[in-house]
Amino acid sequence: RKAERKPFSKNDDFWREARSGWTESSLMGPRSRRTTLVLFASGLGFLCSVVKRMASTKSQAGSTLEVVKRMYESKGNKMVIATTGSGGYGLASLCQVPGMSNLIQEINVPYATASSTEYLGKEPKKFVSADTAQNLALSSFRRARWLERSSSFKDLTSTKFIGVGCTASVVSTKPKRGLHQAYVATCDGETIRTRHLVLEKAARDRIGEDKCIGALLIQMAAESLGTQVPEGYLDGILASTAGGKSKDTLSELKDVKCESSIEAILSGHASRILFYGENNKGLCDVDLPPRTLIFPGSYNPLHEGHLGLAAAAQKTAARLIAAESKEKVEDISAFLPRVVFEISIANADKGVVDVKNIQSRIAQFKSAEGGPWPLLITNASLFKDKTDIIPGCWFVIGADTAIRIVNPKYYGNSKWTMYLSLRKLLDSGVKFFVGVRATKNGDVENVKTITDFLKSLDEAILEGLSDLFVGIPEKDFRLDLSSTEIRERMK
């Protein structure tokens, strides 16, 4: 009809003959009618398959988003994900639900070899393996905890951190001899769970395989949060992406138990553990904000003298911080820094602390007056080692400890080696808040005792280290008993 209204050519007879010939030969002949019906049926079948696939895709997206929404509803959790090789479908789904940043802190795709090596801290022996997926999950767990380092100790110890790792080999530009597979692992600091998905070759294109792996990632991430996943969720996506049944296999590997925090520090896999409140497990390698007051000691036992010195050091540090603001401050409470007690498993003077007693010492800080108090267990016996693992922190010490710090005995009997070591601490922002202490002879040791000793070594040493030691006023605190004397009185 369109041709009659608007002929393509001025030669109308030509078009009439063409239409007439096509009608007679194509529609009127028996063989042509069969051909037309076959073509019509094929086209209808293709159209149905397209509609079915569209409906299946919509169903997949709907079910995946439903799982993601349930993940969002979980509270008190933080998650970091690292995936390489595949899983983009799952990552995209996570970004489609508003507010997911309350749960997902970070998504990493360490795709290149150098990127994966940097993220893991070492180059894996085999990139697509259970070991690599587990290490990705563990690194992500540590990353999740590190990103919350500025939170309160209560939040740090009550939040559940999850790390998710995925590594995969899927359809690429060239055929692969090996399996099309993925390993997905989750880590909550106690257990690493791992699943291995092997996809049937040639059953899907790359997008289809990515959907399957992304769905497995979503399912495992949801399960790690305690979120209920609809029954048959993953099986449905595996079937729909393959156009029906396929010879895929999904296996769950044996769970890997993470080291306990004490085991980790004893083995050297962790340099510090934070204990706080009812959390008996401890958080490994937690970073502390600059100017946190670290109070080292053996705490055998923890007594009121320690708590009094900690409170006095807080006030002295707050006055110093307030003075830096160059504003008139009447209430210094807003400037009070955190106090964290510290026990080193190795002591420069007393040797290795009896590990059997560590748990009993940890328990003291839960029930102590004004507690619970945060406690850090480290493997650093010297202050230079402590500043390496807790950079930017300040220290609370008694005058007797300050005297040992400036003693050349601990620096190869060289006063200049001592000076250079302490000057390095000062330049890195370290300060020592020194409490007054009475000796057995009735003498008083304080920050002046330290400065007098430095002056006796050399005027230049005193001048270079004068800002390193800050005296705590005697009116705020004075310690007349040592832990040894208190233990004797307790017998």
Side-chain angles (χ1 to χ4, degrees):
R1 288 195 299 272
K2 185 175 181 181
E4 291 175 356
R5 291 195 307 269
K6 232 175 167 183
F8 289 95
S9 168
K10 294 181 180 178
N11 190 349
D12 292 343
D13 293 337
F14 172 80
W15 290 107
R16 289 195 195 94
E17 290 175 5
R19 287 196 299 275
S20 176
W22 178 79
T23 302
E24 291 176 1
S25 62
S26 299
L27 294 182
M28 300 305 292
R31 183 175 296 177
S32 297
R33 284 198 297 271
R34 285 197 299 272
T35 303
T36 302
L37 290 172
V38 169
L39 289 173
F40 176 77
S42 299
L44 185 60
F46 174 75
L47 181 62
C48 289
S49 67
V50 170
V51 172
K52 185 177 180 181
R53 173 171 284 193
M54 290 174 64
S56 174
T57 302
K58 186 175 181 181
S59 175
Q60 294 168 23
S63 59
T64 297
L65 289 178
E66 182 61 34
V67 175
V68 174
K69 288 176 183 177
R70 293 181 185 181
M71 290 172 62
Y72 167 73
E73 292 169 359
S74 66
K75 303 299 180 183
N77 304 304
K78 297 291 180 181
M79 180 179 288
V80 167
I81 300 172
T83 179
T84 178
S86 188
Y89 171 77
L91 304 183
S93 300
L94 290 171
C95 297
Q96 292 178 26
V97 175
M100 281 299 285
S101 59
N102 292 323
L103 169 63
I104 306 296
Q105 300 162 285
E106 194 174 78
I107 293 175
N108 298 289
V109 185
Y111 221 163
T113 299
S115 180
S116 296
T117 300
E118 182 183 18
Y119 194 80
L120 294 171
K122 61 180 179 180
E123 184 172 340
K125 294 179 181 178
K126 190 176 180 181
F127 280 90
V128 183
S129 65
D131 186 61
T132 299
Q134 291 162 2
N135 285 326
L136 283 170
L138 181 59
S139 296
S140 297
F141 167 78
R142 291 171 176 166
R143 176 71 177 167
R145 197 176 52 202
W146 183 83
L147 289 171
E148 293 296 304
R149 64 193 181 280
S150 60
S151 301
S152 68
F153 292 130
K154 182 178 180 181
D155 289 340
L156 274 174
T157 52
S158 62
T159 299
K160 182 177 183 179
F161 296 99
I162 302 292
V164 181
C166 172
T167 178
S169 176
V170 293
V171 175
S172 188
T173 53
K174 297 179 180 179
K176 294 184 177 180
R177 294 181 181 179
L179 299 173
H180 290 197
Q181 60 181 332
Y183 291 89
V184 181
T186 59
C187 174
D188 60 5
E190 297 181 35
T191 306
I192 300 178
R193 296 180 59 240
T194 313
R195 286 181 184 166
H196 181 209
L197 175 63
V198 179
L199 299 169
E200 181 185 355
K201 281 188 176 181
R204 306 169 181 84
D205 56 13
R206 181 169 182 120
I207 294 175
E209 291 191 343
D210 185 73
K211 283 184 178 180
C212 296
I213 295 168
L216 176 59
L217 187 152
I218 291 292
Q219 177 167 313
M220 291 196 65
E223 290 173 351
S224 70
L225 299 171
T227 300
Q228 185 177 1
V229 179
E231 186 177 353
Y233 161 68
L234 180 60
D235 290 337
I237 291 182
L238 290 173
S240 62
T241 53
K245 293 183 178 180
S246 60
K247 298 177 182 178
D248 307 315
T249 59
L250 177 66
S251 55
E252 186 159 359
L253 307 187
K254 185 178 180 180
D255 289 351
V256 176
K257 291 294 181 183
C258 299
E259 289 180 311
S260 70
S261 54
I262 298 296
E263 289 173 339
I265 200 167
L266 291 175
S267 65
H269 294 159
S271 61
R272 57 201 180 277
I273 314 164
L274 176 68
F275 290 91
Y276 181 73
E278 296 304 315
N279 188 318
N280 296 316
K281 299 166 186 174
L283 299 176
C284 294
D285 293 334
V286 172
D287 290 288
L288 301 177
R291 295 186 171 183
T292 297
L293 287 173
I294 306 297
F295 191 170
S298 58
Y299 302 109
N300 188 26
L302 173 68
H303 54 74
E304 60 183 14
H306 295 129
L307 301 179
L309 179 54
Q314 265 190 311
K315 292 179 182 178
T316 305
R319 294 189 195 103
L320 186 63
I321 297 171
E324 291 178 356
S325 68
K326 297 182 180 179
E327 297 179 4
K328 187 176 180 180
V329 178
E330 295 181 358
D331 183 10
I332 63 170
S333 60
F335 297 94
L336 291 172
R338 293 172 172 173
V339 174
V340 178
F341 294 88
E342 183 238 348
I343 297 176
S344 173
I345 59 173
N347 186 287
D349 287 313
K350 303 175 183 179
V352 178
V353 175
D354 184 359
V355 178
K356 294 180 180 179
N357 293 327
I358 288 182
Q359 291 293 349
S360 62
R361 297 192 196 184
I362 292 171
Q364 300 176 101
F365 292 86
K366 298 179 184 178
S367 55
E369 183 181 352
W373 295 92
L375 172 66
L376 201 65
I377 306 291
T378 74
N379 58 11
S381 60
L382 304 177
F383 282 99
K384 67 180 183 64
D385 299 327
K386 298 180 195 296
T387 56
D388 286 339
I389 63 175
I390 325 168
C393 288
W394 290 347
F395 293 94
V396 182
I397 56 176
D400 57 331
T401 301
I403 291 171
R404 291 198 298 274
I405 289 175
V406 298
N407 191 337
K409 162 189 170 182
Y410 299 103
Y411 307 89
N413 290 317
S414 170
K415 64 181 182 182
W416 293 111
T417 301
M418 177 273 294
Y419 171 77
L420 292 174
S421 297
L422 296 183
R423 181 68 205 192
K424 185 178 179 180
L425 296 182
L426 178 61
D427 291 341
S428 69
V430 170
K431 288 187 182 297
F432 293 100
F433 290 81
V434 183
V436 178
R437 182 185 177 94
T439 66
K440 293 180 179 179
N441 300 326
D443 298 330
V444 174
E445 294 175 338
N446 53 27
V447 73
K448 187 177 183 303
T449 309
I450 312 305
T451 56
D452 288 346
F453 177 75
L454 293 176
K455 184 177 180 180
S456 70
L457 294 176
D458 196 288
E459 288 278 358
I461 291 178
L462 173 61
E463 183 179 350
L465 300 178
S466 59
D467 293 334
L468 183 61
F469 297 95
V470 179
I472 297 174
E474 188 173 351
K475 65 181 180 64
D476 289 341
F477 177 81
R478 172 171 166 168
L479 181 63
D480 293 340
L481 291 174
S482 67
S483 294
T484 302
E485 292 170 324
I486 291 175
R487 282 196 300 272
E488 289 298 324
R489 293 189 177 191
M490 292 174 64
K491 291 181 179 179

